[in-house]
Amino acid sequence: MSSDLKEDQWVWVVIQDPEKNPQYLGQHDETKDVSYIPVFMEKDHALQCMNLLKKDKSLKYEPQAVFFGDVIKDAKENEFLILILDGEGKMVEWIQP
């Protein structure tokens, strides 16, 4: 992991089905054949990019702040990469936990 982010730093992720079965909204990059969790540094960036992410239209989604360390732990356990995105949905950094 090469990121300057600290494990106790707050980041924003999109949570799928937050009231019933909360989990990170993961994505799959078909061209690279990798699964990843999109992470944003600001809530506004997460809100701006929610429509760019692939979602199940029958579920509710909301951005939530979580500790970066929790995202690292969960991504590693589930074999996901972490993708830091900016407010336009452009890649800032790939992180392999």
Side-chain angles (χ1 to χ4, degrees):
M1 185 174 76
S2 65
S3 178
D4 292 332
L5 292 169
K6 306 292 183 226
E7 290 193 16
D8 63 349
Q9 185 173 343
W10 291 101
V11 295
W12 291 87
V13 295
V14 177
I15 301 296
Q16 174 178 292
D17 203 14
E19 284 118 17
K20 297 178 185 168
N21 183 28
Q23 58 186 344
Y24 301 123
L25 173 60
Q27 300 288 288
H28 185 77
D29 183 323
E30 309 247 344
T31 59
K32 295 180 182 177
D33 194 28
V34 295
S35 295
Y36 63 92
I37 299 170
V39 172
F40 304 90
M41 300 309 300
E42 299 179 28
K43 182 179 184 178
D44 287 341
H45 292 176
L47 287 168
Q48 291 168 359
C49 293
M50 278 181 55
N51 290 335
L52 302 176
L53 302 173
K54 293 180 186 174
K55 301 182 292 289
D56 179 339
K57 295 186 190 308
S58 69
L59 297 174
K60 180 180 175 183
Y61 298 88
E62 68 181 32
Q64 292 185 4
V66 296
F67 283 121
F68 186 59
D70 291 340
V71 178
I72 293 169
K73 176 182 160 283
D74 293 336
K76 191 172 192 175
E77 286 176 2
N78 294 289
E79 299 180 0
F80 276 69
L81 298 177
I82 296 170
L83 180 57
I84 309 294
L85 298 173
D86 68 12
E88 297 176 0
K90 294 180 182 167
M91 178 182 73
V92 175
E93 182 178 10
W94 279 102
I95 300 170
Q96 184 167 357

